[in-house]
Amino acid sequence: QVQLVESGGGLVQAGGSLRLSCAVSGRTFSDYAMGWFRQAPGKEREFVTTIGWSGGNTFYADSVKGRFTISRDNAKNTVSLQMNSLKPEDTAVYYCALRRSITTATMSDEYDYWGQGTQVTVSS
């Protein structure tokens, strides 16, 4: 069974930075895309960013483009999300997800495994 564990969330002031990490363990797949999603209180889960197997193919939601950067280390089975210039509207629980495909995707139902989430709170 594949397990995803996020870390790195916390409380930060607006304009600050945080780096989230997601460690993948268990029966991993040789070729898989990864994604980050977030869910704010009272809102639906929304797409943040995704990265293909090679790391060369990335895609971002317009709301985070230019501020967030996704990366991965396949040797360590980890994916990271560097978040800069954080805004109060970035406050949410952030989830990493694994898709059993080499291609990226933006819809949550296209992902097969999920982490438990990590809270990010940005104060104004």
Side-chain angles (χ1 to χ4, degrees), residues 5-19:
V5 179
E6 302 98 334
S7 61
L11 173 65
V12 64
Q13 289 188 331
S17 298
L18 279 176
R19 185 176 181 86

Side-chain angles (χ1 to χ4, degrees), residues 30-95:
S30 58
D31 297 307
Y32 54 85
M34 296 293 296
W36 286 95
F37 290 76
R38 66 186 182 186
Q39 188 166 18
K43 295 187 177 181
E44 294 187 352
R45 188 172 298 187
E46 66 173 1
F47 167 77
V48 176
T49 180
T50 181
I51 187 167
W53 159 250
S54 68
N57 184 22
T58 60
F59 185 73
Y60 297 89
D62 287 343
S63 59
V64 306
K65 197 173 298 182
R67 300 188 298 121
F68 290 13
T69 303
I70 189 172
S71 61
R72 65 189 296 164
D73 185 338
N74 289 336
K76 297 182 179 179
N77 273 356
T78 59
V79 61
S80 298
L81 181 63
Q82 178 66 42
M83 305 185 295
N84 298 329
S85 302
L86 283 161
K87 305 175 182 180
E89 51 263 44
D90 294 318
T91 295
V93 177
Y94 283 71
Y95 299 89

Side-chain angles (χ1 to χ4, degrees), residues 108-124:
S108 59
D109 59 4
E110 294 179 287
Y111 287 79
D112 302 287
Y113 296 96
W114 292 81
Q116 82 290 347
T118 186
Q119 177 70 47
V120 172
T121 303
V122 184
S123 63
S124 57

